[in-house]
Amino acid sequence: MRKAPNLPQLFLVQLVKEELSFDSKHSPPCIKCDVEMEAYDAVGNKVTFRPEFHFEDYIIRFKQIMERVKRGYVKGRPRHIETPDLSCIHILSYFIFSKMGTSELDAIMIRHLLVTGCPLVKDVKFDEDGMQELAPLLAQVSINDFSIKAGPGICAPAVVSGFVKDILLNATMEGKILNGLDFPMWDGSKDLTAYSVDLAAWTSVRAFIPRIQHTKWWTAGTENTLTFLHIDCDDGQKLWGLLRERRAIQLSSIHFFLDAAVVLRQGDRLYMKPNTPHFVFGLKHAICYGSHYYTTSMMQQTLQGVIHAFVLHKFLTNTHHQPSRQLLRRILFFYQIGIMEGQIPSSHRTFSHLPNIHMVDGLLNFLSVAILVVFGNVLDFRTYSAPNQHQLAAASKEQQFLMANHDINAIPFNERLAIYSCEVTGPDGEIVEDLPSVFMVQLLSALLEYKAAAERRSLNGVPHCTSALLSRQVENVSRSEEPSTCLSLELKSLYSVEWKVGWEEKWHSNDLDYCIMGITPFDHKFIDKQGNHCQEEMAEVTTAAADHTQASKKRKKT
């Protein structure tokens, strides 16, 4: 019997959505930490602070985090100050950053990028005027309330329903520690950037995408807010801690999961790599600006991060934006028209965002996007919930019937409807006939291993998703007999790729219908049911129209 994979245990957080209303009157008093702590900003200035929390176990865990951070120091100071070349953070001024092209940034963004001196998105303060830039003061929002625990024995805040003004009113010595994460930026910028492939795809594909509200947002929190390690700034300060990848434990392993932290000042902007566990501590009351972005050179890490967040869900991520996954489909269209159809010339400003499919890494970045799209249902949280099913409620018999017999779930109908020719040589020197299938099957095997191991540790992850349900979805796509625990292509450095002459003609061949080839058995169930449903509705409409016509004729005779 193989040994179960070691899953992340240190600082795992469960943020359970409770049906609670905000209570401004009752809260335990804050406890001040018994030691003074220190951290450093981008230029080496030391910031000292003594955190306060409503519960003692927060202090214990935060002290453990800061002890881990100090272990990575060199000569008593962080690596980004003492040994910048060995730091996982690359620091750059906005003046230089704004003039860099995509390839230059790709070379730098193998590390986390901290850009200093950035212009403010909006000049907001932590006051009534500033909060109203986010939302009306009486708007009802979800708030992380650190004075209430998410559940017995859980060191994490409960999510409560309150007003925007509650965050502001508690910014006092006696107030609660509150953090609001639910402020979409509806008027965010859509300017084309050198690092963001989703914006390049939007520019080239010219199709509507729900970019702004799901990829750009504000956060507002009082001093001493804390999010422990998880995967996924303008007025105030934030202490941002990053897990540094070690050779012995790669983040692509399902055995994964700090030794880098930096104080973000006003005008600092951190571009964090995907699939990076990190913590955030509020040194002051703060309103911050944040966003998601996709970059072509990091698509393999994006795929790994999506799988980690899917399996561990709220143990590992504090929020999710499922509609933003539609951007991946647009990016795949962008790759198709640029690479397969050759419609984007090298002189076009979006050309640099296309992956170099003549290199193994470029090909795998391309494949990672394709796999994320193919895995759309498998990795979507809503696949495992029935229509209108609450995450804490069991499915009714009617809901179970719709899911089991017609594969109807919580994903909207419009989203439900929403491979190439090269020679790849493997590590053994033999030709790999179908690299996409090899890579996909390995990932599916690792995903099942990961989920089973998480369940053995009582880490339930996505609501209503069990190993059995996940296996059902996986088998709908592919089957694998070979176990795996790696979320990247194993022995990737030993692969090589060479494209055959004339592959473009094969791609344009009329002999292959890629839409039909991509339909799974569950898709047939869903489409057949929707077709029958449409026919039933049409029959009802036709009958109603006939009845109406007959009634009109009778009225005319009368």
Side-chain angles (χ1 to χ4, degrees), residues 47 68 71 79 138 163 173 178 191 251 430 497 534:
V47 177
R68 291 283 300 275
R71 288 180 201 169
R79 293 173 187 263
L138 293 179
F163 298 115
M173 293 292 291
L178 303 177
D191 295 334
L251 295 182
E430 299 293 326
V497 58
C534 289

Side-chain angles (χ1 to χ4, degrees), residues 102 191-193 200 203 206 344-353:
T102 302
D191 295 334
L192 191 63
T193 66
T203 300
R206 300 290 182 186
I344 299 178
S346 58
S347 58
H348 196 271
R349 58 179 179 167
T350 63
F351 182 83
S352 58
H353 289 282

Side-chain angles (χ1 to χ4, degrees), residues 406 417 519 522-532:
H406 303 294
L417 297 182
I519 294 179
F522 286 0
D523 291 334
H524 281 296
K525 276 187 177 183
F526 179 77
I527 293 170
D528 290 346
K529 175 59 180 176
Q530 294 302 323
N532 293 338

Side-chain angles (χ1 to χ4, degrees), residues 267-314:
D268 288 345
R269 188 181 299 169
L270 179 66
Y271 292 86
M272 188 172 61
K273 296 191 303 180
N275 193 31
T276 301
H278 59 283
F279 77 88
V280 183
F281 175 72
L283 292 166
K284 295 180 180 179
H285 309 316
I287 294 176
C288 301
Y289 161 75
S291 67
H292 287 311
Y293 66 93
Y294 290 111
T295 184
T296 292
S297 63
M298 291 286 175
M299 284 302 180
Q300 295 172 71
Q301 291 84 349
T302 295
L303 173 59
Q304 295 160 18
V306 168
I307 293 176
H308 282 313
F310 171 81
V311 174
L312 296 180
H313 190 36
K314 289 185 177 179

